[in-house]
Amino acid sequence: MASPSNAHKGKMVLTKTPYTKKLSNGDVYPIYINKETGKCYLKRVSKKTGKEYNQGLSEEESKAVAAKMGIPYTYKGRKK
């Protein structure tokens, strides 16, 4: 049985924020944040496969949203 601290191991838990991002094509997406790292994402759907994926926002955008939400930004990059 997995311990509670490992319950979400390998899966990000994203929380919807009250903020949105408008892309250059005019589409508007809600911003989601990982409360553990402060990294922000958009949930998008691939036109080719139809699958949902998380598109990460830039470090500057993530830091700005995390600061507004009162969440420390501790993201160190992808684990290898």
Side-chain angles (χ1 to χ4, degrees):
M1 184 172 185
S3 65
S5 62
N6 292 336
H8 296 291
K9 190 168 184 139
K11 292 213 175 209
M12 288 188 298
V13 179
L14 299 178
T15 304
K16 189 175 181 179
T17 69
Y19 306 105
T20 59
K21 178 170 173 82
K22 185 175 182 179
L23 302 182
S24 59
N25 63 3
D27 292 344
V28 178
Y29 292 93
I31 296 176
Y32 292 82
I33 191 165
N34 180 331
K35 287 187 173 183
E36 291 181 12
T37 64
K39 179 75 174 166
C40 293
Y41 300 88
L42 304 178
K43 289 193 176 189
R44 300 191 61 190
V45 176
S46 169
K47 291 179 183 175
K48 185 176 178 181
T49 65
K51 293 182 180 180
E52 186 176 81
Y53 66 95
N54 296 320
Q55 177 184 4
L57 296 183
S58 70
E59 184 175 348
E60 296 84 24
E61 291 171 312
S62 290
K63 282 183 176 180
V65 173
K68 288 179 184 177
M69 299 284 294
I71 298 171
Y73 183 85
T74 60
Y75 183 72
K76 301 290 184 205
R78 291 184 70 164
K79 294 177 183 168
K80 296 184 180 179

